[in-house]
Amino acid sequence: MQKVYDIAIIGAGPAGIGTAIESFAFGIKDILLIEKAQNHSATIRTFYKDNKRVDKDWMGQKVECEGNIVFMDGTKETTLDLFDRLLDKHKIETMFNTEVEKVEKKQDLFEIFTTNNEKFLAKNVVIAIGKMGKPNKPSYKIPPSIKQFINFNLDKCGKGEKILVVGGGNSAAEYAYFLADSNDVTLNYRREKFTRLNPENEKIINEYVQKGKLKLKMGVDIDHLESEHGKPKVVFTDGSNEVYDRIIYAIGGTTPTEFLRKCGIELEGKKVAVDESYQTKTPGLYAAGDIVTETGGSIAIALNHGYAIAKHIKENQR
């Protein structure tokens, strides 16, 4: 007979890892962690620059860790090291390079179907896939001839390039000043002022601008892109235009609505509808991380989601 897991967790980011570790701490032993990437914490690895600060109290949200995982301020590297140690210590069964296609509930069990035709059975399922796995893209079309010069992270960025970073959040700011040390960088934000930067990033941006190491183009949006001799030409809404070697978009992530629909999960606006234990309207089916919050992004909050879910599953374990 096929093994039935007590809990299957889809997504090995902070919310998924938190749920796995807290479930183990509550004595739930048959745990399966499924991740489509080749390692855990793919968003942190892909979208965080090296040595990026990772704060427990993100965006001014004061968070107390409720479970067994002690998460403190650190860096990208210390955060990844923490999750490595936790997964190794608790010997969590993990399936990497495995993408889930849909989840269906049949009587008292969930069937989890993967894109490579595997099927797993579980009494409870947690969707912890996050938004940044599907980064937001601009509404205007990107000409095919310049797509190789369009980024949504720091991949393939070299030195000595003329780069436009688009966005007004912390990721955009960090990309901009990180690249500005070795490139000609302009940071473009459609609003007149930054409203979402943490104090440290705002301070660094101001210092770079004052020293002439970074240019700002504020209060103007991009109308469309063109190809000029194979390079991205940006036409702004104020009528100006500029040719760049590379454009990096850091404009947030999108809730994976199609996947959630296949799992029978309802949305309230742009977030998953859950109760106080992060259970959806389907008993035994939970959601955690930034797909259940308006702001998203907080690792400590995601870990707390995992604790609440594990506690609820333990209390209702048959």
Side-chain angles (χ1 to χ4, degrees):
M1 293 181 64
Q2 185 174 0
K3 180 175 182 177
V4 176
Y5 292 91
D6 289 317
I7 178 171
I9 304 159
I10 302 169
I17 293 171
T19 305
I21 301 304
E22 298 295 355
S23 296
F24 188 94
F26 275 112
I28 303 170
K29 301 303 181 186
D30 288 325
I31 304 164
L32 177 64
L33 185 60
I34 306 172
E35 170 57 50
K36 70 177 182 179
Q38 62 184 0
N39 208 335
H40 68 82
S41 311
T43 293
I44 295 175
R45 295 179 194 277
T46 303
F47 295 99
Y48 287 25
K49 66 182 180 67
D50 292 344
N51 297 312
K52 168 181 163 60
R53 282 185 40 173
V54 179
D55 298 326
K56 180 173 73 71
D57 298 329
W58 185 80
M59 289 289 287
Q61 303 173 87
K62 297 293 182 182
V63 183
E64 294 300 325
C65 292
E66 299 169 356
N68 297 278
I69 299 174
V70 179
F71 179 72
M72 306 296 291
D73 295 345
T75 65
K76 169 185 176 178
E77 289 75 16
T78 61
T79 301
L80 292 174
D81 287 345
L82 169 65
F83 292 152
D84 281 339
R85 291 196 303 271
L86 290 170
L87 291 172
D88 289 346
K89 177 182 177 182
H90 296 88
K91 297 180 174 61
I92 301 298
E93 183 178 347
T94 307
M95 299 281 299
F96 291 120
N97 296 308
T98 304
E99 184 172 2
V100 174
E101 183 177 16
K102 63 179 178 177
V103 174
E104 292 182 352
K105 190 171 187 180
K106 298 289 182 64
Q107 296 180 334
D108 291 334
L109 291 179
F110 290 94
E111 295 181 341
I112 302 151
F113 299 88
T114 71
T115 55
N116 56 0
N117 297 317
E118 290 183 283
K119 185 176 79 171
F120 302 99
L121 300 178
K123 298 175 184 176
N124 301 278
V125 171
V126 181
I127 309 292
I129 54 177
K131 295 179 182 178
M132 286 308 293
K134 188 179 179 182
N136 283 333
K137 296 183 179 180
S139 57
Y140 43 85
K141 291 183 179 180
I142 298 173
S145 60
I146 61 171
K147 281 190 175 180
Q148 61 182 314
F149 305 115
I150 306 300
N151 286 41
F152 296 90
N153 52 45
L154 296 181
D155 287 354
K156 300 178 181 177
C157 291
K159 294 184 179 181
E161 291 186 320
K162 184 178 180 181
I163 298 174
L164 180 70
V165 178
V166 182
N170 286 294
S171 291
E174 289 163 5
Y175 289 172
Y177 66 70
F178 174 74
L179 292 168
D181 286 329
S182 55
N183 296 276
D184 176 5
V185 178
T186 300
L187 177 57
N188 166 232
Y189 185 39
R190 58 189 174 85
R191 300 183 185 229
E192 295 284 350
K193 295 181 179 179
F194 293 112
T195 57
R196 297 183 287 128
L197 297 187
N198 64 44
E200 180 67 17
N201 280 335
E202 190 160 15
K203 177 185 175 184
I204 295 173
I205 287 292
N206 289 333
E207 288 176 353
Y208 270 61
V209 171
Q210 289 170 8
K211 293 177 180 178
K213 296 175 65 177
L214 174 67
K215 293 181 285 243
L216 297 181
K217 192 170 180 68
M218 305 290 288
V220 60
D221 210 343
I222 295 174
D223 184 76
H224 66 277
L225 301 183
E226 298 176 0
S227 175
E228 183 163 301
H229 307 303
K231 288 190 175 184
K233 178 180 178 180
V234 181
V235 180
F236 295 97
T237 52
D238 63 359
S240 64
N241 65 79
E242 192 82 24
V243 176
Y244 296 91
D245 294 316
R246 188 174 303 280
I247 302 172
I248 302 174
Y249 290 96
I251 50 179
T254 303
T255 302
T257 53
E258 180 61 22
F259 171 73
L260 296 173
R261 184 188 63 78
K262 287 182 179 179
C263 298
I265 291 178
E266 295 182 10
L267 297 178
E268 290 178 344
K270 295 182 179 180
K271 65 178 183 176
V272 173
V274 291
D275 63 16
E276 64 277 3
S277 298
Y278 303 99
Q279 186 171 221
T280 69
K281 293 184 178 180
T282 301
L285 181 59
Y286 300 80
D290 59 7
I291 58 172
V292 302
T293 65
E294 292 288 354
T295 54
S298 170
I299 291 176
I301 289 176
L303 294 174
N304 284 347
H305 291 173
Y307 173 75
I309 290 169
K311 184 172 182 288
H312 190 259
I313 289 174
K314 181 61 179 180
E315 291 171 348
N316 291 275
Q317 201 172 43
R318 296 184 296 274

